[in-house]
Amino acid sequence: MKRKLANLYLILVFIILYAPIIFLIVYSFSEGETMTNFHGFTWSHYHTLFTDPRMLAIVANTLLVALLSSLIATLVGTLGALGINRTTKRVTREALLTMNNVLMVSPDVIIGASFLIFFTMLGIPLGFGSVLMSHIAFEIPIVVLMVLPRLREMSSSMLDAAQDLGATMRQLLSRVVIPFISPGIFAGFFMALTYSLDDFAVTFFVTGNGFSTLSVEIYSRARQGINLEINALSGVMFLFSLLLVGGYYWIQQASHRHKQRKRGVTS
């Protein structure tokens, strides 16, 4: 009985989560211009979307910022996690973790306003550069939190054995540490990419004239009234998110199968 109630609860939660998304996607195929009634199936809104040069440029801006910021944040965050993990003093390590988590717990509005003031004081023009730097800043803590648990799972005896066999620090890092923590690195990258694509509040503060991302553009268009082109865009982005999740799952499964084959060979 308890199991059935738990399953019903999970089904209800998923319905609540996905019903608005499905509602938007269904009406992206409607011939009408509003979401009051479904007026028949059409691809016209998707055609309008893919022939809108401004929207295509904004999609390119969003993907470019997300990919660049995620790659840089993954590199910096991984190095930061390695540095925190090597810190021997507990007080110092806890202080570094607390500083790392500040951007995670601070409201997005406060972070966005802080970046806006910071860039204005330094005379940095608002646009692609300011958005990229802001995204890197709030993505780094995410990567650190994804990589640190993998580092803590690593046995010190494995590192000692590699050093006893004559491995240099470079070889130790490239052949032992990085392969072991690679699941955490990939998880941090995909989480950073998701956060970048999803962010609105911070981007809204630091974007300038002539540059926009999807979240800001959708907000601006939604204020002007319902446009089913936005529904079509939501459908495309939802499909893109599914592909990201599927890609991450495939990488995890491939890594798991590779480890199993290695264990079979060694045994």
Side-chain angles (χ1 to χ4, degrees), residues 1-21:
M1 184 64 183
K2 290 182 178 180
R3 186 177 182 84
K4 289 183 179 180
L5 289 175
N7 291 336
L8 288 174
Y9 175 76
L10 285 175
I11 293 171
L12 179 62
V13 169
F14 279 110
I15 289 174
I16 294 173
L17 288 175
Y18 284 94
I21 300 173

Side-chain angles (χ1 to χ4, degrees), residues 166-188:
T168 62
M169 287 301 297
R170 183 176 180 179
Q171 291 173 329
L172 192 68
L173 184 64
S174 61
R175 298 186 181 182
V176 179
V177 178
I178 297 299
F180 186 84
I181 66 173
S182 58
I185 295 174
F186 280 116

Side-chain angles (χ1 to χ4, degrees), residues 73-203:
T74 300
L75 175 62
V76 177
T78 301
L79 294 175
L82 289 169
I84 293 173
N85 189 64
R86 288 179 60 87
T87 304
T88 55
K89 293 183 179 180
R90 181 178 177 181
V91 176
T92 305
R93 185 170 62 251
E94 293 297 328
L96 290 173
L97 284 173
T98 301
M99 292 175 62
N100 176 78
N101 295 337
V102 167
L103 289 176
M104 294 289 294
V105 299
S106 299
D108 288 345
V109 175
I110 301 300
I111 297 173
S114 300
F115 280 132
L116 175 61
I117 296 171
F118 177 72
F119 293 139
T120 303
M121 288 178 58
L122 295 181
I124 298 175
L126 300 181
F128 175 80
S130 61
V131 173
L132 178 63
M133 287 186 283
S134 301
H135 282 220
I136 292 171
F138 69 70
E139 288 169 14
I140 289 175
I142 301 169
V143 178
V144 171
L145 292 178
M146 293 290 107
V147 175
L148 264 180
R150 292 293 300 176
L151 285 170
R152 289 172 176 171
E153 291 175 5
M154 184 181 297
S155 174
S156 59
S157 61
M158 183 169 59
L159 302 178
D160 294 337
Q163 289 177 325
D164 292 339
L165 292 172
T168 62
M169 287 301 297
R170 183 176 180 179
Q171 291 173 329
L172 192 68
L173 184 64
S174 61
R175 298 186 181 182
V176 179
V177 178
I178 297 299
F180 186 84
I181 66 173
S182 58
I185 295 174
F186 280 116
F189 172 77
F190 280 104
M191 285 292 292
L193 185 67
T194 303
Y195 269 70
S196 178
L197 292 172
D198 183 59
D199 181 72
F200 167 74
V202 176
T203 307

Side-chain angles (χ1 to χ4, degrees), residues 236-253:
V236 172
M237 292 306 297
F238 181 69
L239 178 61
F240 180 73
S241 300
L242 288 179
L243 292 175
L244 279 179
V245 173
Y248 176 60
Y249 177 77
W250 181 82
I251 291 172
Q252 279 192 322
Q253 292 300 310

Side-chain angles (χ1 to χ4, degrees), residues 46-68:
Y46 286 89
H47 180 268
T48 303
L49 173 66
F50 287 110
T51 55
D52 185 345
R54 173 176 170 80
M55 186 61 78
L56 293 178
I58 291 172
V59 170
N61 290 340
T62 303
L63 294 176
L64 182 61
V65 168
L67 288 172
L68 281 178

Side-chain angles (χ1 to χ4, degrees), residues 210-223:
F211 183 85
S212 185
T213 61
L214 281 174
S215 57
V216 177
E217 181 68 14
I218 290 173
Y219 172 75
S220 301
R221 294 198 180 195
R223 292 182 62 187

